Amino acid sequence: MNMTIPGARVIDVRTSLPRHKTLRYGLRKLTDIRSAAMHHSATKSGSPEAFASYHVVKNGWPGIAYHFVIQKDGVIYWCNDPETISYHVGNSNRHALGICLVGDFRTQQPTAAQLESANHIIQHLQVQIPTMKQVFGHQEYPGYAWKNCPAFPMGTFRTNYSQFLQKAVGKVDKPKQVPVAIKLNEVLLPVAGFLQEGLSMLPVRAVANAAGGKVEWIEQTKDVRVNGKDLNEKVISGSAYAPARELATALGLQIEWDQATKTVRMMKGSVSK
Ligand SMILES: [Zn+2]
């Protein structure tokens, strides 16, 4: 998985963290992931190495519990492949991806840099893993109501994330382009398109992934196909964009344009007026 995130620093420590001599975590498909689980470390300070060592030596687990650890300075440490079924939310482990913010938020506050990085990584992961539709606190998983983790209010966290997303999809690389928001079945996607000569151009891979379409890249002709249909795409800094209507047709989706909010609404079945 590509973990280059504009606006955030990610350090890959997957192969350097302490792990169990023999035990290994199980693996899943990315499409098994349904939610991101937020944790605090419940320690005033700490590091991925220290947490991994604790989980392996003290708990006897195969490796660190979390997929990502976010330090107080906002640096994101990549600890486990998303496919790893690590131990952090009990019976929900198979469907959850663990993100831990360093700190004890019973007595401390997450830093602004940590919260900003949390927003960045969740947005990035939601683009790569469209089935990861939800963000919960550890405490919100079945059986964990007693656990004061992540010890910051998840309602506020989710509201901030929605606002971050709205702002993020309002920005497009090229300053002259008018950004276009994209809704699939009334859910705002964490990526933006742009207007070009009156046409909405949408990011092919992200939209097709979210809609469960198949994307092919034909190397010889430098063509992108979605569900076998050729598109009039345009490649901008490595990403293919295609006219919204063509993309919708290839994905078997209805489409509607909202001029007031510059939003393309795509949905299964017929569009309600
Ligand atoms: Zn937790």
Side-chain angles (χ1 to χ4, degrees):
M1 180 172 292
N2 169 22
M3 285 305 300
T4 306
I5 308 178
R9 184 160 173 233
V10 180
I11 300 179
D12 184 358
V13 292
R14 283 174 300 164
T15 56
S16 63
L17 291 181
R19 59 174 190 170
H20 197 277
K21 278 206 180 77
T22 52
L23 295 178
R24 294 292 172 261
Y25 282 130
L27 296 175
R28 61 187 168 195
K29 290 180 294 195
L30 286 182
T31 50
D32 288 336
I33 303 173
R34 295 182 203 149
S35 62
M38 305 306 297
H39 301 270
H40 71 150
S41 65
T43 55
K44 291 221 154 78
S45 59
S47 65
E49 288 73 24
F51 306 147
S53 165
Y54 188 90
H55 293 158
V56 171
V57 178
K58 280 265 194 221
N59 298 357
W61 294 350
I64 189 168
Y66 314 115
H67 296 85
F68 297 94
V69 169
I70 306 179
Q71 265 297 6
K72 290 169 187 286
D73 61 2
V75 174
I76 300 167
Y77 293 85
W78 183 7
C79 303
N80 274 315
D81 289 323
E83 289 91 342
T84 303
I85 307 172
S86 55
Y87 304 158
H88 60 112
V89 283
N91 289 338
S92 306
N93 286 333
R94 168 170 286 274
H95 302 295
L97 184 144
I99 300 173
C100 176
L101 275 56
V102 176
D104 184 343
F105 304 134
R106 292 169 298 188
T107 55
Q108 301 173 303
Q109 294 286 323
T111 66
Q114 274 178 312
L115 294 172
E116 174 82 6
S117 289
N119 286 335
H120 274 294
I121 187 128
I122 295 167
Q123 180 197 13
H124 184 81
L125 290 168
Q126 285 193 316
V127 173
Q128 319 264 334
I129 312 170
T131 51
M132 196 185 92
K133 291 190 196 298
Q134 260 144 340
V135 183
F136 293 128
H138 185 174
Q139 189 169 48
E140 295 175 300
Y141 285 84
Y144 285 102
W146 57 273
K147 184 121 187 161
N148 193 5
C149 179
F152 52 75
M154 283 306 297
T156 310
F157 182 85
R158 281 186 286 263
T159 303
N160 288 338
Y161 176 60
S162 302
Q163 286 166 356
F164 169 88
L165 214 52
Q166 292 278 359
K167 240 187 264 166
V169 301
K171 284 182 208 151
V172 181
D173 297 348
K174 308 273 184 297
K176 270 193 205 150
Q177 287 165 350
V178 177
V180 166
I182 309 161
K183 280 189 171 176
L184 179 62
N185 299 325
E186 296 308 321
V187 178
L188 181 69
L189 295 189
V191 286
F194 60 86
L195 277 181
Q196 181 182 269
E197 293 159 11
L199 278 185
S200 300
M201 301 293 286
L202 307 187
V204 174
R205 191 169 291 277
V207 174
N209 278 350
K214 182 163 167 259
V215 182
E216 290 167 281
W217 169 249
I218 317 294
E219 184 55 45
Q220 290 126 321
T221 54
K222 308 269 183 238
D223 260 336
V224 175
R225 280 187 201 163
V226 170
N227 291 340
K229 295 206 176 63
D230 198 7
L231 302 174
N232 288 305
E233 79 281 353
K234 177 184 169 74
V235 176
I236 300 170
S237 43
S239 297
Y241 290 78
R245 231 159 255 286
E246 281 185 21
L247 187 55
T249 304
L251 292 166
L253 296 170
Q254 301 291 318
I255 187 169
E256 196 176 69
W257 169 245
D258 183 355
Q259 176 65 22
T261 58
K262 302 266 186 298
T263 302
V264 171
R265 293 167 64 212
M266 303 172 106
M267 58 216 88
K268 293 223 158 73
S270 56
V271 179
S272 57
K273 294 277 173 193

